[in-house]
Amino acid sequence: MPGAKTGCTKMNGIGNSLAVETRSLVKRYGSFTAVDRLNLRIERGETYGLLGPNGSGKTTTIKILCNLLRPTSGEAFVLGRRVGDRSAVSRIGYMPQETALYLDLTIHETLSLFGEIYGMNKAEIEREEERLLRFIDLEAWRNTTIANLSGGMKHRVSLACALLHNPELLFLDEPTVGVDPELRVSFWDYFEALRHRGVTVVITTHYMDEAHRCSRIGLLRQGRLIAEGTPAGIVESAGCRSLEDAFLALARRGDARET
Amino acid sequence: MLFWHLPEGVMRVRLRRALAITKRIFRTLKHDRRTAALICIAPVLSMCIFGIAFSGEVKNVDVLVVNLDDGPISNGIIGNLDRDTLDIRFVPDEAEATRKVKDGDAWAAIIFPEGFSRTVLSNGQDGEANIVLRDDKSNTNIATAVRRAVTNALMNTLSEYGGKLPVSIQEDPVYGGKAEFIDFFVPGIMAFSIFLLTMLLTLLAFVGERTSGTLERLRASPMRASEIVFGYAMAFGIIGMFQASLLLIVATAVFKITIVGNPFLAYLIVALLAMVSVSLGILLSSAAKREAQAVQFLPLIVMPTFLLSGIFWPVEAIPSILRPLSYAIPPTYGVQAMRSVILRGWGLGEIWPQLLVLLGFAAVFLMLSMRSLQRGRG
């Protein structure tokens, strides 16, 4: 596994080298089961792609791991700490699916706000802001309010907010939706760079080309993990030619088993 | 959960995060000019509208006078009728006057019968003298005002003629010697408008935080529920004090109100009230999924506050069945304390009970709002 080797030594949590671990995690809403006995083990330094159709439990899983939803049963750990004990929170970055920004703040004010929330000092905030503005290519827009940005621009600012405090573990919920192809490529180059720095990235996506760039992917269906492995491994084990075909085949097999 | 249980270093970090929220609110206002204008204009406007409309005095009431008397007393009384309150028209005969009142052309006919002056001057030998008041009492405020005007004119005229009651009331005001209705009213409207506006702004801002996902983002960060609530409370406490200053300036400059007490105590009351309403706004926001739903709560809040908190009429005038409700809502205490400070010049030594109650409300609601934020995780 490429990620495991680069896993940074100084980031070791308490007696656990996993970045994310869930043990038979369940989340039910009334009679609907969003997450069904999910067992995830994500090593530090991995770029892990959570894939699956809409409503398969990707977002719910991420929200549980970010301590935004309480699981119905089961256990979840991030960076070696139980979710809910907040000690790891400041080392985690979260980019929600919706833009989730204050429309009446400028980009600069937005980034300052998140820097302050994560306890960064002024110099740190300034340095990271420069770096990220260059990365998301919005240097010229720093004093524009979020309300006046296009959808894709807002998305880029939202990503910058999650990256500002240099987290060790990143949860990105569909970060490339509404982002143009060119920028999408540069996003992924950046995620790759993060992997080389030992940052664990957990990402949800619908794009197969993006799934290919993950070190490992897990396919969710009706809240269950129906396949997991490296992209090449999954294609091979399903006996298909492409990842897309493999997913369709696996989904069909899952249906067949149920009936 | 609370700041003061923690070591100093942790406290500084928490204060910093709370301040980040406060700063965020002010930065947002910088770009959201409309809301900023609302904050400045709304309380002043409501004070002016209410202050002018509710001067508390009935004026320009149409009345008819029928004078069948030829003596000096009736003319004296007519001369003494308050022309501010009454618009007088003379009508030659009683039947016509009565018909006009019946037709709604006037509120009352004041009739002086034949030989009225003679009867009065006979000192009771010719029996009792009567002024007939044929009035439309369907509007009690107006009827009372007319009656009071006639009574006053009568008393004044009689004393001019040397007639005097054997007893008089000597009034020696302890507080509010020169107070008019507007003086009574201004402290109330101050507490009221700041309370409501703060709640409205918090409610809308917080529903926005919930729907846009920013609240979720904050909750995924090291930010704690208590820090969010304190950040909001600080911002709106400051905004409330700013509004209070504006209102005090308008009250003294436009409505010529004398502020007897210490304005800083007024700020303290406003800050406490703002905390109560911020936490109420946050609590309400958890029951609303969208802005439109939040707005539906407003009548539920505005009406009781308006009617029960003693802004227009004293709590003593509220029926005893409803009175416990008056004492159950925070603005009542804000209005009382504000009035005591501004009109009576009372200090901390006298208004501490109200401040304590407000502090209690603030503590309870702040706790509840933090709870509601923590429980927000489904």
Side-chain angles (χ1 to χ4, degrees), chain B residues 292-325:
Chain B
Q293 289 182 343
V295 172
Q296 292 169 346
F297 290 130
L298 288 181
L300 280 178
I301 306 285
V302 175
M303 292 316 279
T305 312
F306 206 64
L307 299 175
L308 297 174
S309 63
I311 301 171
F312 296 112
W313 38 85
V315 175
E316 285 76 5
I318 289 162
S320 53
I321 306 172
L322 287 179
R323 219 174 290 167
L325 276 178

Side-chain angles (χ1 to χ4, degrees), chain A residues 115-164:
Chain A
E116 285 161 19
I117 289 172
Y118 282 90
M120 297 163 70
N121 65 38
K122 223 171 163 188
E124 285 172 325
I125 295 174
E126 244 162 63
R127 197 185 56 227
E128 294 303 310
E129 185 183 340
E130 283 314 312
R131 187 175 65 81
L132 286 169
L133 282 180
R134 217 171 310 127
F135 159 57
I136 60 174
D137 198 19
L138 288 177
E139 285 161 294
W141 300 77
R142 78 174 69 211
N143 291 320
T144 308
T145 52
I146 305 291
N148 293 320
L149 299 178
S150 73
M153 288 173 169
K154 286 179 192 161
H155 231 71
R156 278 136 74 186
V157 176
S158 174
L159 176 65
C161 290
L163 294 171
L164 189 77

Side-chain angles (χ1 to χ4, degrees), chain B residues 7 9 24 29 119 122 152 167 170 190 192 213 224 282 291 295 310-311 337 346 364 372:
Chain B
R24 197 282 292 166
L29 283 179
T119 319
S122 76
N152 284 346
V167 181
Q170 204 181 343
M190 234 169 101
F192 171 77
R224 284 164 191 270
I282 295 175
E291 269 92 345
V295 172
I311 301 171
W346 281 7
V364 170
S372 82

Side-chain angles (χ1 to χ4, degrees), chain B residues 137-263:
Chain B
K137 294 190 87 163
S138 64
N139 188 321
T140 49
N141 274 343
I142 289 177
T144 311
V146 172
R147 203 189 164 92
R148 196 187 315 124
V150 175
T151 311
N152 284 346
L154 175 66
M155 298 308 269
N156 290 342
T157 314
L158 287 182
S159 72
E160 280 162 28
Y161 279 82
K164 240 188 182 169
L165 281 174
V167 181
S168 75
I169 297 170
Q170 204 181 343
E171 194 180 16
D172 185 8
V174 177
Y175 294 117
K178 287 183 200 142
E180 289 177 35
F181 184 78
I182 185 78
D183 298 76
F184 164 80
F185 179 74
V186 159
I189 202 71
M190 234 169 101
F192 171 77
S193 61
I194 291 170
F195 181 78
L196 272 187
L197 200 65
T198 306
M199 176 158 8
L200 175 68
L201 290 173
T202 313
L203 179 57
L204 291 179
F206 234 81
V207 172
E209 295 248 28
R210 284 176 195 278
T211 49
S212 73
T214 48
L215 183 62
E216 208 169 72
R217 202 167 208 152
L218 293 180
R219 288 218 318 259
S221 81
M223 186 72 78
R224 284 164 191 270
S226 57
E227 292 153 9
I228 300 176
V229 172
F230 274 101
Y232 261 84
M234 266 191 279
F236 284 103
I238 294 168
I239 292 172
M241 286 194 256
F242 166 73
Q243 291 172 320
S245 326
L246 276 183
L247 288 178
L248 287 175
I249 291 168
V250 174
T252 46
V254 179
F255 294 106
K256 309 283 181 233
I257 288 181
T258 337
I259 296 161
V260 187
N262 183 348

Side-chain angles (χ1 to χ4, degrees), chain A residues 52-53 219-222 226-227 238 243-258:
Chain A
L219 178 63
L220 279 178
R221 205 178 145 71
Q222 290 166 346
I226 59 167
L243 204 48
E244 195 147 20
D245 291 342
F247 280 175
L248 291 172
L250 286 165
R252 239 170 306 165
R253 251 178 256 171
D255 285 346
R257 211 172 301 137
E258 260 163 49

